[in-house]
Amino acid sequence: TGIKVRLSKQIDTYFGIGVKLAKEYIEKILTARGVKLDCLGLKGYEEIRKEIIVDLKKNSNLSIRQIALVLKINRGMVQRVKA
């Protein structure tokens, strides 16, 4: 358990905003709008998905792949959004 905690702290430090902080940020936004994370890949949620992706691209050091994993969407969806 100690190793996992140290590793997650290192990852958070290395990636700036960090995966953990990105998840918290996304959760706040989705909760405020009444949207579930699993819905982001569906039609009709393009605006909120785009807004979150642009924000993460600009304000974090997460890679395209990491953003896709955190949002539980296809990597291509993240790549197509222009920041």
Side-chain angles (χ1 to χ4, degrees):
T1 318
I3 293 172
K4 286 183 183 177
V5 171
R6 270 196 313 248
L7 184 59
S8 85
K9 283 183 182 176
Q10 287 174 349
I11 290 170
D12 288 346
T13 303
Y14 181 74
F15 290 117
I17 188 175
V19 174
K20 186 176 176 183
L21 292 175
K23 285 180 181 179
E24 290 173 12
Y25 164 75
I26 292 163
E27 200 173 299
K28 263 188 214 176
I29 290 176
L30 295 178
T31 304
R33 298 201 182 185
V35 177
K36 294 190 180 221
L37 183 61
D38 296 333
C39 294
L40 281 182
L42 302 175
K43 245 183 181 177
Y45 295 94
E46 293 91 353
E47 275 307 308
I48 188 167
R49 180 174 63 230
K50 182 181 176 184
E51 182 183 318
I52 292 171
I53 291 170
V54 167
D55 212 16
L56 288 173
K57 280 183 170 183
K58 286 184 179 179
N59 300 317
S60 77
N61 293 325
L62 299 179
S63 68
I64 301 293
R65 180 172 282 144
Q66 288 168 324
I67 292 172
L69 287 171
V70 169
L71 294 176
K72 297 182 181 179
I73 60 174
N74 186 302
R75 187 176 44 145
M77 286 181 167
V78 178
Q79 287 175 326
R80 283 191 296 270
V81 174
K82 302 292 181 213

